[in-house]
Amino acid sequence: MTASDPGELDFWSFVELANRRLAREYGFRHQLATELLLTLNRASNIVTYDLEASVHRPRGLSWSGFRLLFVTWLAGPLESKKAAELTGMSRAAVSNLAKTLVSDGLLSREAGSRDGRSVLLSLTDTGHQEMVEVFRVHNEREDEWAGVLSPEEQRILIMLLDKLVTNRDQFDVRGRN
Amino acid sequence: MTASDPGELDFWSFVELANRRLAREYGFRHQLATELLLTLNRASNIVTYDLEASVHRPRGLSWSGFRLLFVTWLAGPLESKKAAELTGMSRAAVSNLAKTLVSDGLLSREAGSRDGRSVLLSLTDTGHQEMVEVFRVHNEREDEWAGVLSPEEQRILIMLLDKLVTNRDQFDVRGRN
DNA sequence: TGAAACTAGTACATCTATTAACTAATGTGA
DNA sequence: TCACATTAGTTAATAGATGTACTAGTTTCA
């Protein structure tokens, strides 16, 4: 199994080819790490793209828009800063996104009382209704994806992904502002 | 452990809170799936952001730029279409990106001989040199990330991620063009 | 108390990615 | 063989995300 014909290359034979060349021709040593991160990146992109394209875009929401509304729905009212942390976006992204969601009538902003600089995000009634409906579809789709794995496998996967990112204080990781 | 004080919310207590509310207040049933996909998305974003910010941006490469050069390096010369498949980008994205990488002197394009419509991408000498150097740093960083897990755990993680996305023909998945 | 350091949010310029529409080459089948 | 459908790639308009710089509120501590 050489997979050297580029015409036949799919993702897996590419990873195999890449590993072989990186090791033999260039002497790189951390093949398994490369394979892991390529696979992680790819899996996340595929799933995310599908959810966005099949569930959210048709209803006029972007993936980020959904994520912001999602955390606001379940943990709101939330300070903008907190929303950025939970969604993994930058503060600037939340600010921009909030502007459009407010003008769509889904999100509402009011000044924070505790801290005069802060802004509290919460859902409007329309936003709340919309989330309940969108999430119904979203959750079914999630289950189709996850259903490929047994509950036990899902739990292991969650545990490993968590372990991968929570021990990151052991070295100096670059995160968003 | 209630984590109901929003001031204390981190990603994990948010997931817990979300699960509880989705189940109790709204009756949604697929908690584990939600948790899995949230975790997958987050892990991928954190790792990718760190690699981009610590390795690639300082050298003037975007994450996508790196990915395109990476596949071209190891599997090239490649048709544009194939590069899009392997990197998971749209054809338009590859086309745009190639334009800038060509003008940076890293990538070269020539007409395909077999098919008059196609374009073959390959690295310039500079591009090749650059990749060998960038990847040295990239690969060390990958190993720092992956090193949190044992090789056995890494293999299991790869296997599970792979299983998650390869059985997707069982339902109708939306992919990029 | 008041100056300096810090923090939350926003504005702006830039860059990237997306979809849709288009051009040109290729394949297909009556 | 010739019309029709497909396919590869590019372009253009738009949307979204980034970093930087700025404003304004808050904290710190001399």
Side-chain angles (χ1 to χ4, degrees), chain B residues 94-110:
Chain B
V94 170
S95 179
N96 281 326
L97 201 43
K99 208 180 336 179
T100 73
L101 292 172
V102 165
S103 76
D104 292 344
L106 301 171
L107 201 63
S108 113
R109 293 159 32 159
E110 53 180 314

Side-chain angles (χ1 to χ4, degrees), chain B residues 9 19-20 26 45 49 52 78 109 133 144 164 173:
Chain B
L9 267 192
N19 272 344
R20 200 164 355 106
Y26 299 96
N45 288 343
Y49 187 88
E52 176 164 27
L78 267 183
R109 293 159 32 159
E133 292 197 16
E144 288 192 273
L164 184 67
V173 170

Side-chain angles (χ1 to χ4, degrees), chain A residues 4-5 20 24 49 65 92 101 151 170:
Chain A
S4 54
D5 177 359
R20 199 164 357 103
R24 297 196 192 155
Y49 187 87
L101 292 173
Q170 288 174 9

